[in-house]
Amino acid sequence: MTRGSAAPIPGEPGVREERPVGPRRRTSRFGRFLDGGRLLQDGAPGSPVLRLVARWVRRPLLPAVRLWRRNIQLRVVAGTLVMSLGVVLLLGLVVIGQVRNGLLDAKGKAAVSQAAGGFTVAKDKANATVASGSQDGGAADGRAATSSVQWRSDLVEQLASGGQGAYNVVTLGPATNEAGASNLGARASGKVSVASVPDELRRSVDQGTTPFQTYTQIRYEDGRAPEAGLIVGQRLEDVDHQAYQLYYLFPLAQEEKTLSLVKGTLATAGLFVVVLLGAIAWLVVRQVVTPVRMAAGIAERLSAGRLQERMKVTGEDDIARLGEAFNKMAQNLQLKIQQLEDLSRMQRRFVSDVSHELRTPLTTVRMAADVIYDARTDFDPVTARSAELLGDQVDRFESLLADLLEISRFDAGAAALEAEPIDLRETVRRVIAAAEPLAERKGSRIRTVGDAQPVIAEADPRRIERVMRNLVVNAVEHGEGKDVVVRFGVAGGAVAIAVRDYGVGLKPGEATRVFSRFWRADPARARNTGGTGLGLSIAVEDARLHGGWLQAWGEPGGGSQFRLTLPRTADEPLRGSPIPLEPEDSRRGREQALAQVSAERLATVPVQPGADRSALPAQPRAIPADPTALPGSGARVVARQSDSVTQASDREDTTRGR
């Protein structure tokens, strides 16, 4: 099936941008959230409270989102800040890690060296005490035990005396089992708690003879806060050859202060660098964006008709060259437009002058043709027929000259509207009465629908009558002897008159070209109906002068329909038409109605138990929507209207803009 053809508002694209005909781009909920659409669309699950919360959260974000999308300078500066912040953070982490490792390595080496010296002193002292005891040779066992405990206390005091504030010394007895260690003979300096020594370290020291080290929390018995520290320990023997554990605890407070100072310095320097980079990016981008914004503003003013606007160019860099190129382009554009305006003015002046100048000789030719036509009865048949043809062509030439004069007035902007409240029914009746002789010769009949009530609008009677005469005569001439229907419609602030014929119709795409000057569906065919080829062009200009629309629809072999929509008042903008552009009795409309009826009948047929459903007639396949019947193209298929204007007012076509 060949689809019909529908014309949009003359002078505008066939498909409006706000309602695309093709498949719509799918967007996520987050995208609709940022675009300002509702997060929960109609029919989507969710309570009104959730929709209200989503709306409340989205409202303060919309200005920021619009600013982000429209301001390239903001996006560049923000991106620079984010990237520079990431680089500063990465470098800061690397530097802090390196400083921390260096401090800990240095502290570890110093601690191991200091602890090794202490272990050597402890060994030497134990050996010296054993040697002096062997020279005495008469010590009792109880005195030996007492001297062992006292010896450890003296050892702790001696070793700790050289490192006040730098380290502390702890001695512990050997581990008794895997569950824990005995604190027998535990000694500590600086109020350090023996719990500062981890059990795992104690077990490692108890099982080996070499020094062991680890990091731990140094706790104090006097209530001071724990602090990080490095602990180094080794198993030794006292004067009684009993094993004990000697530990050196080195606080890391100074290293922590140094690391904190490094962190603060890096944070301050990093923040300063980020702010500096942001300022630099803002200044650099501003130098580029400002000329672009200036060019955009000047381009908008150029598009508005202010062709004398130019960019201010300073310097010799790339931006300056861009400004010079833009100014040169604007200058050439102004020159070309001026040339076109002059040429168009000359053409309009030429047409107007020629039309006016042709009136005088045409009047003379008209008078001579009338004399010859009146005397044709005295001529031979060939000469008489030539006199008749001469009269017909002079009439056609007069009509063409009048149309050319009218077109020249529209082109020159000199057409004036003399609007007054009129009943469009009376105007259409006069047109129909004048077209009835032609309809009788063609075998057609002109019917009116929806004229039961007055159709009042502020319009120029002469221009409206000319428009309707063009539409009705064209419908009769191309109706192939079938009826022509003139339908009236009133709704809101608009009135409409549709002229429907059932003749040859229009091919796809011809509805937009039918209003062009001197356009013919078949260029090979000569004009033999007396038309000038300017009737519909003048009709479109008359409709625009009223602030209305003149649109066409047609399908091959199914006829066509022309719809004139006017505002009720001269200064009221149109928002829709009371009559759909595509008639209900179009081929597609009839097939859709038939498919709907078939589907309803199929749904009401009862299926007997055990019956084979495959034997039932197949449900008709849905007919794909035609772009001319979708919103945005000025047409839609609606239920059949009655002759009542009140029912037609409820079917206003709201898909058309101005």
Side-chain angles (χ1 to χ4, degrees):
M1 181 187 71
T2 305
R3 291 184 176 180
S5 175
I9 300 176
E12 294 187 0
V15 180
R16 295 174 62 95
E17 295 181 357
E18 59 267 22
R19 292 297 299 273
V21 174
R24 299 183 61 183
R25 178 174 58 88
R26 295 184 178 179
T27 57
S28 62
R29 289 192 174 186
F30 184 72
R32 293 199 304 267
F33 180 84
L34 293 180
D35 291 337
R38 290 186 300 172
L39 181 61
L40 297 175
Q41 303 294 335
D42 294 336
S47 63
V49 176
L50 182 58
R51 285 194 290 268
L52 181 62
V53 171
R55 212 174 294 123
W56 178 77
V57 172
R58 186 185 66 247
R59 187 177 293 112
L61 295 179
L62 291 180
V65 172
R66 293 195 198 97
L67 180 63
W68 174 265
R69 290 180 174 178
R70 299 181 61 180
N71 197 326
I72 187 174
Q73 186 175 2
L74 175 63
R75 294 202 301 270
V76 172
V77 173
T80 303
L81 289 176
V82 171
M83 289 186 291
S84 60
L85 181 60
V87 172
V88 168
L89 287 177
L90 181 61
L91 291 177
L93 292 176
V94 172
V95 171
I96 291 175
Q98 293 293 333
V99 171
R100 182 187 61 188
N101 294 335
L103 291 174
L104 293 180
D105 290 343
K107 185 66 174 179
K109 292 179 180 179
V112 170
S113 177
Q114 183 70 34
F119 297 151
T120 302
V121 171
K123 291 179 181 180
D124 294 342
K125 185 176 181 180
N127 294 333
T129 304
V130 170
S132 63
S134 61
Q135 292 177 1
D136 294 340
D141 295 339
R143 180 180 176 183
T146 302
S147 62
S148 176
V149 175
Q150 184 64 35
W151 180 85
R152 293 183 190 178
S153 300
D154 296 340
L155 178 63
V156 170
E157 292 178 1
Q158 179 183 354
L159 295 178
S161 61
Q164 295 292 336
Y167 58 87
N168 292 296
V169 180
V170 175
T171 61
L172 296 175
T176 58
N177 51 48
E178 296 181 357
S182 173
N183 290 334
L184 180 62
R187 296 292 183 269
S189 65
K191 305 270 185 202
V192 174
S193 174
V194 296
S196 301
V197 181
D199 294 340
E200 184 178 356
L201 178 62
R202 294 185 62 181
R203 287 191 292 269
S204 299
V205 171
D206 192 43
Q207 294 174 2
T209 58
T210 59
F212 292 88
Q213 65 179 6
T214 186
Y215 295 100
T216 185
Q217 286 284 332
I218 301 177
R219 300 177 178 87
Y220 299 93
E221 294 180 350
D222 56 358
R224 283 182 290 173
E227 58 181 350
L230 175 63
I231 180 171
V232 182
Q234 186 177 0
R235 190 183 69 175
L236 300 173
E237 292 183 355
D238 58 10
V239 294
D240 295 332
H241 300 286
Q242 294 181 2
Y244 72 98
Q245 298 174 356
L246 179 61
Y247 296 96
Y248 274 78
L249 285 75
F250 298 89
L252 299 177
Q254 188 63 35
E255 286 71 18
E256 286 186 345
K257 291 181 181 179
T258 304
L259 191 60
S260 299
L261 178 61
V262 173
K263 289 181 180 178
T265 304
L266 288 177
T268 304
L271 181 61
F272 177 76
V273 169
V274 169
V275 174
L276 182 61
L277 289 176
I280 293 174
W282 183 80
L283 291 175
V284 172
V285 175
R286 184 174 181 270
Q287 294 180 358
V288 179
V289 172
T290 300
V292 174
R293 290 176 178 172
M294 185 185 302
I298 294 177
E300 291 177 356
R301 291 192 288 273
L302 287 174
S303 63
R306 300 168 59 181
L307 302 178
Q308 71 280 1
E309 293 289 337
R310 297 293 184 271
M311 286 185 62
K312 182 179 179 181
V313 180
T314 57
E316 299 179 357
D317 54 4
D318 294 336
I319 300 298
R321 288 161 50 195
L322 175 63
E324 292 176 356
F326 186 89
N327 291 339
K328 186 179 296 184
M329 179 192 68
Q331 183 177 359
N332 293 335
L333 181 64
Q334 182 182 12
L335 180 61
K336 292 296 183 182
I337 292 178
Q338 187 67 35
Q339 292 176 354
L340 292 175
E341 288 180 352
D342 294 342
L343 179 60
S344 177
R345 192 180 302 110
M346 292 176 58
Q347 290 178 344
R348 293 196 299 266
R349 181 71 177 272
F350 175 77
V351 172
S352 179
D353 292 344
V354 169
S355 301
H356 282 286
E357 293 297 330
L358 287 177
R359 281 192 166 186
T360 300
L362 179 61
T363 302
T364 304
V365 173
R366 172 84 269 175
M367 296 174 59
D370 290 340
V371 172
I372 296 174
Y373 183 81
D374 293 339
R376 69 185 185 281
T377 56
D378 300 333
F379 301 151
D380 58 272
V382 176
T383 306
R385 179 56 181 167
S386 300
E388 294 177 355
L389 293 177
L390 177 63
D392 294 339
Q393 293 303 316
V394 169
D395 292 339
R396 184 169 180 269
F397 187 48
E398 284 183 337
S399 300
L400 178 61
L401 184 60
D403 290 345
L404 287 175
L405 286 173
E406 190 66 25
I407 284 291
S408 66
R409 294 190 189 97
F410 282 116
D411 291 340
L417 182 67
E418 299 177 359
E420 61 184 31
I422 61 173
D423 190 349
L424 297 180
R425 299 179 303 170
E426 299 298 329
T427 303
V428 173
R429 287 168 184 167
R430 290 196 299 270
V431 171
I432 293 176
E436 281 182 351
L438 177 62
E440 291 178 356
R441 291 196 302 270
K442 296 288 184 177
S444 301
R445 185 168 59 96
I446 304 175
R447 298 186 294 110
T448 58
V449 177
D451 57 345
Q453 296 182 2
V455 183
I456 307 298
E458 291 185 4
D460 190 333
R462 179 180 65 87
R463 297 183 183 276
I464 297 301
E465 184 173 352
R466 180 168 58 191
V467 172
M468 295 308 303
R469 181 170 60 251
N470 273 287
L471 299 183
V472 172
V473 170
N474 285 341
V476 171
E477 289 182 346
H478 298 86
E480 296 184 341
K482 300 179 182 178
D483 289 353
V484 175
V485 180
V486 180
R487 183 183 299 274
F488 296 87
V490 181
V495 298
I497 306 175
V499 179
R500 174 78 162 103
D501 68 81
Y502 300 89
V504 295
L506 296 173
K507 298 178 182 179
E510 291 183 350
T512 57
R513 300 193 298 270
V514 72
F515 299 102
S516 301
R517 300 177 184 180
F518 301 106
W519 181 84
R520 285 178 291 176
D522 187 3
R525 295 177 58 187
R527 299 188 185 276
N528 52 14
T529 59
T532 63
L534 296 174
L536 290 179
S537 301
I538 296 175
V540 167
E541 297 296 340
D542 285 333
R544 290 176 180 173
L545 192 62
H546 285 81
W549 308 331
L550 180 58
Q551 301 158 279
W553 169 92
E555 58 184 7
S560 61
Q561 176 167 291
F562 287 77
R563 182 183 67 181
L564 174 66
T565 307
L566 301 174
R568 282 188 170 183
T569 57
D571 56 348
E572 183 177 0
L574 285 178
R575 296 181 177 85
S577 179
I579 302 176
L581 181 58
E582 181 177 356
E584 304 166 4
D585 54 359
S586 64
R587 186 180 297 115
R588 184 175 62 252
R590 292 194 301 269
E591 291 181 357
Q592 289 178 347
L594 180 60
Q596 183 177 1
V597 172
S598 300
E600 292 177 355
R601 290 179 178 177
L602 181 62
T604 57
V605 174
V607 180
Q608 300 297 330
D612 187 6
R613 291 180 178 268
S614 61
L616 294 175
Q619 186 174 357
R621 181 173 58 87
I623 300 176
D626 191 283
T628 60
L630 294 177
S633 61
R636 61 174 179 174
V637 179
V638 297
R640 181 175 296 277
Q641 299 177 351
S642 64
D643 294 347
S644 175
V645 179
T646 58
Q647 293 183 2
S649 63
D650 294 334
R651 309 182 186 275
E652 180 179 2
D653 183 7
T654 59
T655 62
R656 270 288 179 183
R658 292 193 63 182

